[in-house]
Amino acid sequence: MSERLDRLLRPRSLAFIGGAAAELAIEASRSFGFTGEMWAVNPRHELRGASTVASVAELPGVADAAFVAVARDTATEVVRELAAAGTGAAVCYASGFAETGDTGAAAQRELVEAAAGMPLVGPNCYGTLSAVTGAALWPDVHGLARCERGVGFISQSGNVAVNLTMARRGLAVAHVLALGNQADVGLAESLETLVADPAVTGVGLYLEAVDDIDRFAAAAGVAQQRGLPVVALKLGATEASGAIAVTHTASLVGSDTAYDALFRRLGVRRVQTLPELLDTLSMLVATGPLRGNRLVSLSCSGGEAALIADRSRIRDLSFPAFSAEHRDRVSAALDHRVAVTNPLDYHTFIWGDAARLCDCFTAVLCDVHSAGESPAEPSQGSTADPPFDAAVLMLDLPAAGLDRSRWWPTLDAFGAACAASATPGVVVASMAENLPDEARVRAEQLGLCACGDIDTALAALEAAAAFGQSLAASAGTPPPPLLAPAHRARRASKPQSQRTDSDADAPGPEAAVLSETALSETVLTEHGAKQRLAAAGIWVPRGLLVPADEAAAAAVEIGLPVVVKATGVTHKSDVGAVAIGLSDLDEVAAAAVRLGALGDGTVTVEECVADAVVELLVSVRSEPPVGMLLTLGAGGTLVEMLDDTAVLLLPTDPADVRSALRGLRIWPLLAGHRGRPPAALDAVISLVSALATLVSTDRGITEVEINPVLVTRESAVAVDALMTVVQPGGTEIEPVHRRPDRP
């Protein structure tokens, strides 16, 4: 565990400074069973029977951690005194800092300066809980129980952190950190600390943004090396993108999509709800990573089986059919009275019969034929993999006060069959309230995972399969460092100790800072953008930028047929600013007159690319603080209507690009649909590689969109492009009118 936060999470002495909130924290630590020294500071009265002194200077010893619950104007001086005394860390509960505006932000900077390197959690936060030691720097009740090992929660919201402690899902929780404004101790450092702690079995995140991408990525890499699951619930999925609106990409993907790509790259599982967060962590801790996504579901109701099948369709999960011989053995265990399918409705005629339930479930989970064994000895000496990667038992128990005795044989038989077949088992109710604590405890004793309801269980199973895939793909090797986001025209980045929630979208310290002068962004003309692309090795059509009355002459030089485009118009197809396939010079001249009037009086005359197999969109855009986001998708005039995209973060490799393309709905066109010729995939991958090299070497480029890329059987040609660059204010980019050569 990181030494910087060691005394915070494993303190042997605590100090509480303040009034009512400090008293609540003292009581929380007492009720949590903290056995170390506890001292209080209050100049007017004793706090809850704790040894109380009038000032920090009078404390009888140096506290490992302190809870500071005084007003904003007093907090800074108290923190300064604690730091001078050698205190290990402080939690600042007070509000009124950066969350309130400029004045509060200035006070927050003073607070961090007063800490002088002492770890400071907050301000405007609930604080920390350690179930390992019983330390509660926490001004409220909580629902945790003491434990030696468990998951860690990091939350940017205090109330959400409180709610998580109250969850009744049977999940052991070792640490909770509610970070508030993150003036000093931030999300990345907290994750770094938890993934290195041997007492932590997994980490759950509730976040709005990541404060330090590089540090976060390194911590996630450590988690992967340990096989430690990290699950994130990130807010902001509905935020309007802050990107430049001139590109199609801006309406298709935004900064939240960049976080999706970041989490996938780092093996962090993103979820959408708090129940998913809890059940996904529960499953990953209980079962670990799954080998695959092949599931079998068991229930005594056709309705429940259908519900499982329907809800799984939105998930990357598979319910494979039984082989003929396997189906016969399951059917025999059910007296040939049941149609054997997956999901399986095993009916109720064996309900309550422990032996027959065990025979049925064992027949389902132990594919003895593939192991070369006798059906009478399903668990003896088997070296074959189980036929399924996980098994699901649907089991709704009666409400409290009703007889549950006839339900336990089903749970026990399922546990025995899972153990005999070495199959991870999951118990799920159709509704969370139908899986009482008693059933959760019994499931845990049987080595099973218990989930609240169907949807959270399926989400957790999908996460466990993805976790296994991620660990296998990484093979213990972390991905290469991310390409830092290009510097947009906005304020310069601050050091972490001075960053506030309002800086969440600002470039991190790794971003390329161009200068201290004002920055401005410029959208290049299509012609200028394509010249930069051509210089980078990307194939663009031969073309000339000319006054409208010289278009016919340009067409002669280029060779008919040609395309004529208006200049100075962004989305040309929307306003009819492009004429394609002109084979007559009079047509060229007439089109140029019309199109010149739509734009700035000049037109671009280009060679016409024929025999396109498919149209793609390829773009790279800066998404602070995450990095440079590569988007691949269906292009052309239907780009927004189809909304068929895949995103990656740079740098990437050809295999990832190919995999992303394969995930598009238009992949059959690329691969060669119904006998049509396949597209030149290698040319597409080369174009993407060249574009990635361009934006990584020219850090003034904040966004490039090529739409469409016309992909033929032999080539990938950038026929339209937009590029946004940033430069010091007042600097002009001179248009270049020479004809770009074909690479």
Side-chain angles (χ1 to χ4, degrees), residues 182-420:
Q182 301 184 78
D184 177 42
V185 175
L187 178 81
E189 182 179 10
S190 299
L191 179 63
E192 179 183 77
T193 300
L194 291 186
V195 300
D197 187 344
V200 171
T201 57
V203 180
L205 308 175
Y206 182 86
L207 70 151
E208 296 173 7
V210 175
D211 58 330
D212 187 329
I213 293 294
D214 287 345
R215 197 170 186 180
F216 181 88
V222 172
Q224 284 227 327
Q225 290 170 11
R226 285 191 58 196
L228 197 73
V230 180
V231 183
L233 173 54
K234 183 195 172 295
L235 304 184
T238 58
E239 281 185 11
S241 171
I244 305 164
V246 296
T247 64
H248 290 95
T249 312
S251 62
L252 294 172
V253 298
S255 58
D256 195 66
T257 308
Y259 274 101
D260 278 339
L262 175 70
F263 293 151
R264 283 196 303 273
R265 183 186 184 99
L266 301 178
V268 174
R269 182 66 181 183
R270 185 173 185 178
V271 295
Q272 303 302 319
T273 67
L274 289 173
E276 276 189 37
L277 177 69
L278 291 164
D279 277 354
T280 299
L281 276 172
S282 294
M283 185 169 298
L284 290 174
V285 169
T287 68
L290 297 182
R291 294 175 302 126
N293 66 351
R294 302 169 305 154
L295 307 181
V296 63
S297 172
L298 303 168
S299 63
C300 63
S301 160
E304 291 174 343
L307 195 56
I308 283 277
D310 283 351
R311 298 308 298 161
S312 66
R313 288 176 182 171
I314 62 173
R315 302 285 180 186
D316 184 17
L317 295 171
S318 169
F319 288 84
F322 292 92
S323 67
E325 291 173 299
H326 194 176
R327 183 177 62 247
D328 289 345
R329 283 185 284 102
V330 175
S331 180
L334 292 169
D335 296 340
H336 302 289
R337 296 167 61 181
V338 173
V340 177
T341 60
N342 186 16
L344 174 65
D345 168 17
Y346 59 84
H347 291 212
T348 57
F349 67 89
I350 60 173
W351 186 256
D353 187 330
R356 299 200 66 185
L357 285 165
C358 193
D359 288 345
C360 172
F361 295 164
T362 300
V364 169
L365 298 184
C366 295
D367 191 355
V368 295
H369 177 77
S370 67
E373 302 170 4
S374 164
E377 299 176 332
S379 61
Q380 301 297 316
S382 174
T383 58
D385 288 336
F388 305 105
D389 299 310
V392 179
L393 174 69
M394 284 282 292
L395 190 66
D396 287 65
L397 278 83
L402 300 177
D403 181 15
R404 295 171 175 165
S405 61
R406 291 184 298 122
W407 274 254
W408 300 128
T410 303
L411 184 58
D412 292 343
F414 182 66
C418 288

Side-chain angles (χ1 to χ4, degrees), residues 602-619:
T602 63
V603 295
T604 302
V605 182
E606 291 182 343
E607 67 175 322
C608 190
V609 179
D611 301 324
V613 175
V614 69
E615 297 184 1
L616 292 179
L617 173 142
V618 178
S619 78

